[in-house]
Amino acid sequence: MTSASSSIKIADGTTKVSLSWLNGWTLGTIVIAMIAILPIAAVIFISLTPGDDIWEHLMSTVLTLYISTTLGLMIGVGIGTLLIGVGTAWLVSMCRFPGKRMFEWALLLPMAMPAYVIAYLYTDILEYSGPLQELLRDLFGWKTKREYWFPEIRSLGGAIAMMTLVLYPYVYLLSRAAFMEQSVCVLEASRSLGRGPYRSFFGVALPLARPAIIIGISLVLMEALNDFGTVDFFAVSTFTLGIYDVWLNMNNVAGAAQLATVLLLFVLFLVLSERFARRKQRFHHTTTKYKALPGYLLEGWRGRFATLACALPVVFGFVLPSAVLANYSLVHFEVAMNPEFIGYAVNSFMLSALAAILAVAIGIFMAYGVRLRNERLLKVMVRMASLGYAVPGSVLAVGVLVSLGSIDNGIDGFMRSNFGISTGLLFSGTIAAVTFGYLVRFLALSFGSVEASLGKVTPSMDGAARSLGHGPLSTLRRIHLPMIQGSILTASMMVFVDCMKELPLTVILRPFNFHTLATFVHQYASDEQLGEASLAALSIVGFGILPVIVLSLAITRSRPGHAEEEEVS
Amino acid sequence: MVKKKIMKTREVLKVAALAIVTVILSLTSAFAAEEVNLYSERQPFLMDPLLKAFTEETGIKVNMVYIQKGMLERLKAEGANSPADLILTSDIGNLNNHLEADLLQASQSSILENNIPSHYRHPEGKWYGLTTRARIIFAHKERVKPGEISSYEDLAKAHMKGRVCTRSGKHMYNVSLLASIIAAKGEDAAEAWAKGLKANLARKPQGNDRAQVKAVFQGECDVSIGNTYYMGKMQTNDKSPEQKEWASAVNVIFPNQSDRGTHTNISGAAVTKSAKNKSNAVKLIEFLTSNNAQKIYAEDNFEYPIKKGVALHPLVESWGTFKADTTFLSNVAKQRILATRIMDRVRFDN
Amino acid sequence: MKGLHIFGLSHSYGNNQVLDNVGLMIPAGELVCMLGPSGCGKSTLLRLAGGLEKVQKGNIVIDDVTVGSTEFHLNPEHRRIGLMFQDYALFPHLDTVRNVTFGLIGMDKEKARRKAMEMLDQVGMTSHADKYPHMLSGGQQQRVALARALAPEPKLLLLDEPFSGLDTNMRQRIREETLSVLKQSGVTTLMVTHDPEEAMFMSDRIKIIGAKGRILQVGRPHEIYYHPNHEFVAKLFGMMNQFKGVVRNGQVETPLGEASTDLPDGAEVEVLVRPEGIILEENQSKTETLVELRSSHLLGHDNIVRVRVQGVSKELYVRVHHSFEIELAKQITARLDPEYTFVYALDENVSPPNRYNKSKLVNLQAVTGE
């Protein structure tokens, strides 16, 4: 044995490279995660600063109301988006019916519509003094409100309806991608076992798509939890409204941060319990065989029903509100058409594109870092880093303010005392601060979808590529990125559209004289003059749908085996 | 094909990066010699004409960020390095919050002391009121009989049951109104009032002040509470002529003329502690209280000028003069937290 | 000293130890098969050799170069190995040629393509060069995966259950083709499988692995089959007939006669007999045991027959040549074929010293390079 070992040498040269490279990913992931956690940590820090105790007051008055309203909102929006999102995704992916090709992308359109805008528009249409009720009164000769019943738009139910209409595309998008990625063999196996298409759906397709659907629903729920514009306008007392109330009306930022921390813990609890529930399940691509999806032909009333089921959300979530907006824009064109308007649109577009690219790049980096080194610490940190989505926008903005402010003032203090130079504020109040805010907020979107789809690539792909002489980076670039292209596009699209609509972070963090379409809309919306802001609101929608349509087509194309689908169908 | 796509993405990235750098450079290179930096709670569409006039008159460039929520936190986080010289708020409450957070500094100016009545400015000059408005009652011309309602207290009385509309009790306008009642009559009376008002509501609090007038016009309720300038905005709205109809359906009632007067609030300005362009900041406040600027406020936004002798908008003038609640505004502002709590206790919004 | 050498490898996942002080050696150019049931740690061994897992304890040496040890880890991309997975792991977004050229790093495009086509020619897949993986059958995918793994001329090829995804008809053909390709390339190969037939067919040498990666026996297929030194090894090749007994004078009494053993007298033992180790004959002398036929199935070349020894309730499984028309036989007798009869002590500690040593010796030889 000794003679043998004497002839053995250690592989040289590559040693350091290989080890430090792996550490580079891990280190990078940790550093990025820590930076992203900063604002959330700042919020928690603020919650620990002394302030009036709000809990006793809240508990004896409105806390139960906040909680029950919030739960009601979550349940309502959750069920609504689940039904619409998964149902339409299934119809569009698995069935053939009139208009299917169009609905594939059209169902995404409401995503571009900010919830608060749709809330304004529907209030105009549906309130007591709106055209619909006026028409009803004229038709039936009613004189006062007490003579008939009409659902109140400014209510919890109204808020649920508004949010469901604009948020279901998240669920649709993710579950459709999941349905398309499913091996058709699994579905065929199910049908050969004597299950019809409906039972195959509930027994096989749905459970397989569950992780994607859950991600979609959790994104929706976090958006619903965070919403301020809609619930404020409808005066629906959610937890988030309570946070703003404590913060602004009671001038108690510590108390608001405490409430936000509780909200955060609640979301964390939901996320963890969901992960725990499916801890044993692994969802890898079951096969490399793809065939065209079955495409059950729906004829007659079934076909018409499918068309109607897909048309309703698009009409109410997009077509109708856009038409109203377009009408407003025409009426108010002179006021609305501001020469600086183009500049705002460019700002919005550039900033959103930058944030989308960065968020996806960072999301890929972190997800791949975790894949390379499946360590608990890393996982926890990465999970924490994507919690920004669970904090109401303005509260997160305060977290960003505080963390960037301390960094800036820390550097400034250091430079002053050591070199006598004042660096002032390096990040606060810059485009970088806004971008940082966007990233912290929307990292969950990009990381979540990248992680989910990376998880579906079997580890033997990594092994194969690595054994063929490709390092982690090359493997990522040549194997994973092309394989998860669809999800990358999806993620960038979601971040982009969300940034276009984003308001509180932009408003609070932006530099002087800087406007986006959303802030432009906001100044009028805050004064309840949507007419003047209608053109800008319409542009948000317009800029938002462009990438939605383009990317939706790309996603369809990205499914392996899709090319043959044309020939088959 | 995949490779091509990646190449394309890279090209796009390059172009995007270049463009963003250009944007940032163009923004930072816009430094003028004389400037003043402003965090404003008031909308740009409102302030832009005023600020433009200021720059034309003085050559001082004004940089502005419009922040509604989080202005205080931003100033605090930026600390001594904050670029902001001046803040503009739409309410006394926020001025007071900044004052209590020690973010403001005193400034002296004889012009300001001349232009602004003493109860509309801080004794040491830490904040200045710019315009005032009153929170009034809009009553339907036919369905509300003369004398039926003449005070805020009347809104909470039994004969108004099911006839009152208002926006959310948590909105700062209503919180301020309740705070003024606390200041005038004490906590218990204020809570009883809020409870009575809630009992009289025709519908769950919702919408904005204009929407309440619309509801009165449509017959959902008979009276509503609102700020004065909304009346002007409705009466002159050529873009949405239906608003003129709403406005014509109601009478303007200035409440409590026989006792403490109508609750008024101010929009205001204050120099920040961190101000680097303090003299420019004071110049801007002086300008905003000058005849010219006060006239713009009055004409464009139907506010009551704070400076004596500036003409009101003819419409505003037509509503008549009124006696304002003269309780020092800071004292009202201090009751806002309690007012918010009372709104919670009576579950005003539900 | 070329080839793969593994010393004292231990590995665990959490509290679950899957490998315990495993040693292994494959001389250059040889094809060694690790045969063991699932969960025995053979896949972990493969992953460790490939660098997909980091070594916790032990040493892995490929062609005189340490690629993994307790302190040192060489990433898979630097090991010059070929890996073939059970699911083939073909890259779905690349066509066949580009899958094969994937590992030909640094080679100019034209050359790489030529090389890939050469490899595809070897596996008979040139006509599918432009197809994408999802358009290929399982067997075709397997061949592309093999071509891909061999294209960069690895120093070591690792195969993980390479034929388990194929249907039976195809399996035999693919196996033969694969074997010939491997022999032609002369690459050192480590293959893991749970299928004994596959192991027998493919390998120069088989290593039988038991729990925690313990190597129970190493040998050429013939040795393993005819001289399994462990009950576990014997049972790997399918159904066995089992009898319990006690050693007396080097003999164990079974219902079918005596079996000889070198275990000490008095040891409780188990006698294992392969189905082909029971010889059925018609109408022989009375000294042999009479059995009655329960069932018979023709499997092609052989009949698989169930018989019952008179007076013993236990059924026996016997493989008999198809020419023996057992249904027609009036009286059937059975006896043991010593070549297929193995005796093991029930208590492992009672193993005869020489046999125990023998297996140790083999292991040691493996380590020092024979």
Side-chain angles (χ1 to χ4, degrees):
Chain A
M1 208 162 143
T2 42
S3 66
S5 25
S6 67
S7 65
I8 290 164
K9 56 180 191 284
I10 292 223
D12 41 30
T14 47
T15 318
K16 273 185 181 159
V17 180
S18 62
L19 276 177
S20 64
W21 179 227
L22 203 69
N23 287 340
W25 279 98
T26 313
L27 202 71
T29 311
I30 291 175
V31 168
I32 291 173
M34 273 168 58
I35 293 173
I37 291 169
L38 272 181
I40 299 154
V43 170
I44 295 171
F45 173 77
I46 295 168
S47 76
L48 300 175
T49 55
D52 284 350
D53 178 32
I54 41 140
W55 290 98
E56 203 193 318
H57 163 74
L58 286 181
M59 274 193 257
S60 65
T61 54
V62 282
L63 192 63
T64 48
L65 178 73
Y66 289 160
I67 291 172
S68 61
T69 312
T70 304
L71 287 179
L73 185 73
M74 287 176 71
I75 292 169
V77 175
I79 292 176
T81 53
L82 182 76
L83 289 179
I84 299 179
V86 178
T88 53
W90 172 258
L91 284 175
V92 160
S93 327
M94 300 289 175
C95 304
R96 280 183 290 152
F97 56 91
K100 170 202 153 115
R101 288 262 176 242
M102 183 192 72
F103 285 123
E104 278 181 0
W105 55 266
L107 277 161
L108 287 169
L109 295 179
M111 198 175 192
M113 192 68 75
Y116 57 91
V117 169
I118 204 175
Y120 276 117
L121 296 175
Y122 272 103
T123 307
D124 269 4
I125 300 170
L126 294 178
E127 68 179 349
Y128 177 80
S129 43
L132 186 67
Q133 289 200 50
E134 252 175 72
L135 182 72
L136 288 175
R137 283 195 295 270
D138 283 353
L139 279 178
F140 297 99
W142 295 317
K143 284 276 178 293
T144 66
K145 193 182 176 183
R146 297 161 196 93
E147 289 172 54
Y148 66 100
W149 180 87
F150 194 85
E152 171 59 66
I153 171 78
R154 289 188 179 102
S155 62
L156 178 60
I160 290 173
M162 295 302 110
M163 288 188 205
T164 301
L165 278 178
V166 295
L167 294 178
Y168 83 83
Y170 287 97
V171 181
Y172 165 78
L173 191 60
L174 289 165
S175 44
R176 173 158 177 256
F179 287 143
M180 290 206 306
E181 278 169 359
Q182 271 172 17
S183 153
V184 71
C185 302
V186 181
L187 290 171
E188 280 172 351
S190 160
R191 296 204 66 186
S192 69
L193 291 169
R195 285 174 168 242
Y198 297 101
R199 292 180 63 197
S200 296
F201 170 65
F202 286 108
V204 178
L206 203 56
L208 275 179
R210 188 176 143 197
I213 295 173
I214 298 267
I215 291 171
I217 294 278
S218 53
L219 295 179
V220 164
L221 290 185
M222 284 198 249
E223 290 265 7
L225 271 182
N226 282 335
D227 174 88
F228 176 73
T230 316
V231 293
D232 181 45
F233 186 59
F234 284 179
V236 173
S237 304
T238 60
F239 207 83
T240 298
L241 208 57
I243 293 176
Y244 284 88
D245 192 41
V246 169
W247 173 23
L248 300 167
N249 280 333
M250 299 194 191
N251 192 25
N252 184 347
V253 73
Q258 284 162 21
L259 286 170
T261 306
V262 169
L263 192 67
L264 197 67
L265 290 175
F266 174 64
V267 171
L268 201 61
F269 167 75
L270 283 188
V271 170
L272 290 181
S273 50
E274 193 279 323
R275 294 209 157 245
F276 184 74
R278 61 181 170 95
R279 67 197 177 283
K280 291 255 165 64
Q281 298 175 33
R282 288 281 174 279
F283 298 87
H284 293 308
H285 280 293
T286 37
T287 171
T288 43
K289 274 188 176 180
Y290 290 96
K291 278 195 244 161
L293 291 161
Y296 308 122
L297 185 61
L298 302 179
E299 284 172 312
W301 66 269
R302 285 159 186 266
R304 280 196 291 278
F305 176 77
T307 310
L308 186 70
C310 291
L312 284 179
V314 183
V315 168
F316 287 116
F318 182 78
V319 178
L320 188 63
S322 302
V324 176
L325 266 186
N327 182 37
Y328 284 178
S329 313
L330 284 179
V331 174
H332 296 271
F333 192 76
E334 297 145 60
V335 204
M337 192 53 220
N338 185 320
E340 287 158 53
F341 182 76
I342 311 279
Y344 305 160
V346 171
N347 285 346
S348 276
F349 193 86
M350 296 295 258
L351 204 54
S352 305
L354 175 70
I357 291 168
L358 287 177
V360 169
I362 293 172
I364 292 170
F365 189 91
M366 294 205 310
Y368 197 62
V370 174
R371 187 181 175 92
L372 284 178
R373 264 215 160 157
N374 201 5
E375 277 169 18
R376 180 161 293 184
L377 172 79
L378 214 54
K379 276 189 192 164
V380 170
M381 292 203 58
V382 162
R383 209 53 64 218
M384 294 277 293
S386 46
L387 274 180
Y389 205 56
V391 183
S394 300
V395 178
L396 185 67
V398 171
V400 173
L401 282 176
V402 169
S403 40
L404 290 185
S406 353
I407 291 171
D408 283 341
N409 286 315
I411 294 173
D412 183 63
F414 176 82
M415 294 301 279
R416 269 177 210 260
S417 57
N418 288 290
F419 305 101
I421 316 164
S422 167
T423 52
L425 300 177
L426 295 173
F427 303 110
S428 304
T430 63
I431 301 277
V434 182
T435 314
F436 177 57
Y438 285 178
L439 289 179
V440 172
R441 177 135 177 79
F442 297 124
L443 205 53
L445 283 180
S446 62
F447 174 75
S449 47
V450 169
E451 191 203 24
S453 80
L454 260 188
K456 276 181 259 154
V457 175
T458 114
S460 50
M461 291 291 170
D462 303 52
R466 297 289 293 276
S467 71
L468 289 167
H470 290 266
L473 189 63
S474 167
T475 305
L476 173 66
R477 206 160 56 86
R478 288 157 183 269
I479 302 300
H480 294 104
L481 292 191
M483 280 184 78
I484 63 168
Q485 217 182 86
S487 301
I488 291 176
L489 292 176
T490 309
S492 25
M493 179 187 83
M494 288 197 294
V495 176
F496 178 85
V497 173
D498 255 324
C499 289
M500 288 291 291
K501 298 189 286 183
E502 209 290 330
L503 191 57
L505 285 158
T506 325
V507 167
I508 298 179
L509 299 174
R510 64 186 157 156
F512 286 107
N513 310 328
F514 182 84
H515 302 274
T516 64
L517 289 175
T519 65
F520 183 75
V521 172
H522 168 62
Q523 61 159 330
Y524 289 105
S526 68
D527 197 44
E528 286 124 4
Q529 307 180 44
L530 202 62
E532 282 79 350
S534 52
L535 192 61
L538 200 61
S539 318
I540 294 182
V541 176
F543 275 110
I545 53 172
L546 267 173
V548 168
I549 295 175
V550 171
L551 291 172
S552 156
L553 295 176
I555 290 162
T556 312
R557 247 182 280 120
S558 75
R559 180 181 179 271
H562 183 81
E564 299 101 281
E565 198 171 330
E566 305 291 335
E567 296 152 32
V568 176
S569 55
Chain B
M1 216 172 85
V2 172
K3 206 164 190 186
K4 255 187 208 161
K5 254 181 209 160
I6 290 170
M7 294 275 281
K8 259 187 203 161
T9 324
R10 231 184 259 165
E11 296 298 310
V12 171
L13 262 171
K14 266 186 209 161
V15 174
L18 198 74
I20 282 147
V21 168
T22 324
V23 169
I24 293 172
L25 283 180
S26 67
L27 279 169
T28 47
S29 62
F31 278 118
E34 281 291 316
E35 58 177 8
V36 59
N37 296 321
L38 181 62
Y39 287 172
S40 170
E41 217 183 13
R42 307 217 77 185
Q43 291 92 347
F45 69 78
L46 194 69
M47 294 311 299
D48 280 347
L50 287 160
L51 300 178
K52 218 168 157 193
F54 173 69
T55 306
E56 270 166 23
E57 196 177 300
T58 61
I60 300 169
K61 184 176 188 289
V62 185
N63 300 309
M64 172 170 139
V65 190
Y66 163 56
I67 316 179
Q68 254 197 346
K69 309 174 183 73
M71 186 201 279
L72 186 145
E73 281 70 26
R74 178 157 170 179
L75 275 173
K76 226 173 171 174
E78 290 172 340
N81 281 318
S82 174
D85 303 308
L86 186 68
I87 60 166
L88 290 182
T89 74
S90 54
D91 183 88
I92 180 66
N94 230 345
L95 283 177
N96 206 51
N97 292 347
H98 282 82
L99 183 70
E100 282 176 5
D102 196 21
L103 292 167
L104 307 178
Q105 63 169 306
S107 52
Q108 265 70 47
S109 155
S110 53
I111 299 178
L112 290 177
E113 277 159 29
N114 258 333
N115 286 352
I116 307 168
S118 61
H119 61 283
Y120 283 140
R121 58 181 153 87
H122 187 266
E124 292 161 38
K126 287 195 170 178
W127 55 259
Y128 297 96
L130 296 175
T131 59
T132 73
R133 61 188 182 248
R135 189 132 187 91
I136 56 173
I137 294 169
F138 300 110
H140 193 269
K141 281 181 174 160
E142 282 142 32
R143 295 198 301 275
V144 179
K145 313 217 161 37
E148 239 190 316
I149 198 139
S150 65
S151 67
Y152 297 115
E153 285 74 11
D154 287 342
L155 290 171
K157 286 182 182 152
H159 69 282
M160 294 309 295
K161 184 136 195 96
R163 297 171 68 190
V164 184
C165 277
T166 186
R167 72 191 313 161
S168 164
K170 293 299 186 60
H171 193 275
M172 63 177 176
Y173 298 159
N174 279 346
V175 170
S176 281
L177 173 60
L178 183 58
S180 78
I181 296 175
I182 299 172
K185 304 176 86 179
E187 181 176 349
D188 292 343
E191 182 161 350
W193 177 78
K195 206 177 253 169
L197 177 60
K198 176 177 166 49
N200 285 348
L201 292 180
R203 59 177 192 184
K204 193 169 147 328
Q206 55 183 257
N208 52 44
D209 285 354
R210 263 185 251 222
Q212 314 307 320
V213 177
K214 187 180 179 186
V216 172
F217 166 74
Q218 296 273 3
E220 248 188 314
C221 37
D222 295 342
V223 297
S224 75
I225 310 171
N227 283 357
T228 39
Y229 51 83
Y230 283 118
M231 189 65 182
K233 286 184 182 181
M234 286 187 287
Q235 284 179 329
T236 56
N237 201 327
D238 294 325
K239 291 279 153 13
S240 317
E242 70 277 8
Q243 292 196 3
K244 292 184 181 174
E245 270 182 78
W246 311 343
S248 65
V250 297
N251 282 323
V252 169
I253 295 175
F254 289 99
N256 298 66
Q257 290 305 298
S258 56
D259 46 44
R260 65 178 183 274
T262 302
H263 167 61
T264 56
N265 205 329
I266 55 165
S267 70
V271 180
T272 65
K273 215 174 180 183
S274 62
K276 313 230 169 6
N277 306 301
K278 187 179 170 184
S279 68
N280 288 350
V282 174
K283 265 185 215 160
L284 179 53
I285 305 177
E286 286 170 356
F287 173 80
L288 291 176
T289 56
S290 69
N291 285 342
N292 268 345
Q294 291 279 303
K295 214 175 152 213
I296 296 179
Y297 273 124
E299 303 261 299
D300 285 7
N301 209 36
F302 307 98
E303 290 174 77
Y304 288 94
I306 214 140
K307 190 180 181 200
K308 288 245 159 65
V310 177
L312 296 176
H313 189 285
L315 260 177
V316 177
E317 188 135 39
S318 74
W319 305 332
T321 52
F322 69 99
K323 175 184 166 194
D325 183 349
T326 50
T327 315
F328 187 63
L329 279 170
S330 287
N331 295 341
V332 173
K334 279 182 192 126
Q335 300 301 333
R336 285 165 45 96
I337 295 174
L338 186 56
T340 308
R341 289 183 173 223
I342 290 176
M343 288 296 192
D344 277 344
R345 279 188 229 148
V346 303
R347 293 194 162 209
F348 194 83
D349 284 353
N350 292 279
Chain C
M1 193 187 60
K2 302 280 179 185
L4 170 70
H5 297 246
I6 288 174
F7 312 87
L9 208 57
S10 296
H11 204 82
S12 44
Y13 297 108
N15 292 327
N16 177 25
Q17 187 166 33
V18 287
L19 296 177
D20 182 16
N21 196 26
V22 173
L24 167 71
M25 178 265 168
I26 306 177
E30 239 180 69
L31 196 163
V32 169
C33 192
M34 316 266 288
L35 176 63
S38 46
C40 68
K42 59 186 192 300
S43 287
T44 304
L45 194 64
L46 202 78
R47 293 176 62 79
L48 284 163
L52 302 179
E53 284 298 321
K54 280 190 180 175
V55 172
Q56 292 169 349
K57 194 166 171 288
N59 273 300
I60 300 173
V61 180
I62 300 174
D63 279 5
D64 294 342
V65 178
T66 297
V67 295
S69 71
T70 316
E71 307 83 31
F72 171 77
H73 175 78
L74 189 64
N75 279 332
E77 59 267 30
H78 303 302
R79 289 193 179 187
R80 292 207 48 201
I81 47 156
L83 249 169
M84 211 174 111
F85 292 89
Q86 203 170 347
D87 59 3
Y88 316 129
L90 293 183
F91 307 129
H93 59 293
L94 301 179
D95 62 22
T96 301
V97 178
R98 282 188 295 151
N99 259 287
V100 179
T101 52
F102 190 80
L104 302 173
I105 300 168
M107 206 181 271
D108 78 74
K109 263 191 176 168
E110 206 30 59
K111 217 173 144 197
R113 195 181 159 85
R114 265 205 311 278
K115 170 87 185 170
M117 290 309 284
E118 232 169 75
M119 294 309 301
L120 288 173
D121 186 41
Q122 271 191 48
V123 297
M125 287 291 293
T126 36
S127 56
H128 297 85
D130 297 329
K131 290 197 176 155
Y132 282 85
H134 68 269
M135 302 153 97
L136 302 176
S137 72
Q140 291 168 332
Q141 289 191 29
Q142 197 271 355
R143 284 184 270 180
V144 175
L146 182 67
R148 182 178 73 177
L150 288 176
E153 295 171 7
K155 293 195 267 187
L156 172 69
L157 181 66
L158 303 166
L159 307 176
D160 186 1
E161 307 270 5
F163 308 107
S164 67
L166 302 173
D167 58 58
T168 353
N169 282 335
M170 196 180 271
R171 203 178 293 174
Q172 186 55 35
R173 213 183 69 222
I174 301 274
R175 254 187 222 155
E176 280 169 30
E177 288 171 6
T178 305
L179 187 60
S180 94
V181 171
L182 290 180
K183 285 290 146 195
Q184 206 180 321
S185 71
V187 65
T188 312
T189 307
L190 173 63
M191 164 174 145
V192 305
T193 178
H194 64 273
D195 180 352
E197 227 182 279
E198 202 157 288
M200 300 282 279
F201 182 84
M202 294 290 291
S203 46
D204 301 317
R205 208 179 299 243
I206 300 178
K207 302 191 186 227
I208 311 288
I209 313 186
K212 293 190 183 176
R214 191 153 72 97
I215 296 185
L216 299 173
Q217 187 172 2
V218 180
R220 304 198 173 272
H222 184 273
E223 282 173 69
I224 302 279
Y225 193 77
Y226 289 101
H227 304 289
N229 60 8
H230 197 281
E231 180 194 343
F232 181 82
V233 179
K235 281 181 181 168
L236 269 177
F237 295 89
M239 221 154 7
M240 293 294 260
N241 295 293
Q242 305 185 24
F243 310 100
K244 287 217 169 73
V246 179
V247 182
R248 302 232 185 284
N249 302 323
Q251 299 289 324
V252 189
E253 191 65 36
T254 77
L256 302 181
E258 290 188 323
S260 57
T261 173
D262 42 11
L263 287 165
D265 276 12
E268 287 183 38
V269 294
E270 186 161 42
V271 180
L272 298 181
V273 189
R274 295 206 190 282
E276 54 269 50
I278 296 176
I279 302 165
L280 298 182
E281 284 151 322
E282 189 179 5
N283 242 353
Q284 293 293 313
S285 65
K286 294 267 187 215
T287 54
E288 285 171 6
T289 317
L290 282 172
V291 294
E292 59 186 70
L293 180 67
R294 309 292 296 179
S295 70
S296 167
H297 298 278
L298 184 64
L299 291 184
H301 182 266
D302 288 336
N303 269 332
I304 191 83
V305 172
R306 289 201 294 164
V307 295
R308 197 160 77 176
V309 182
Q310 282 172 351
V312 180
S313 63
K314 194 169 180 177
E315 281 188 353
L316 301 175
Y317 300 86
V318 187
R319 201 178 263 268
V320 294
H321 194 258
H322 64 91
S323 59
F324 180 33
E325 292 178 273
I326 196 160
E327 288 93 340
L328 305 174
K330 286 185 184 126
Q331 198 172 31
I332 312 166
T333 61
R335 65 183 164 86
L336 294 177
D337 180 346
E339 220 179 342
Y340 298 102
T341 303
F342 317 107
V343 182
Y344 303 100
L346 284 178
D347 180 354
E348 276 199 41
N349 296 328
V350 200
S351 308
N354 59 342
R355 184 157 295 189
Y356 185 71
N357 277 353
K358 205 166 140 196
S359 77
K360 261 270 192 202
L361 198 70
V362 174
N363 243 337
L364 206 67
Q365 277 175 345
V367 164
T368 50
E370 285 181 80

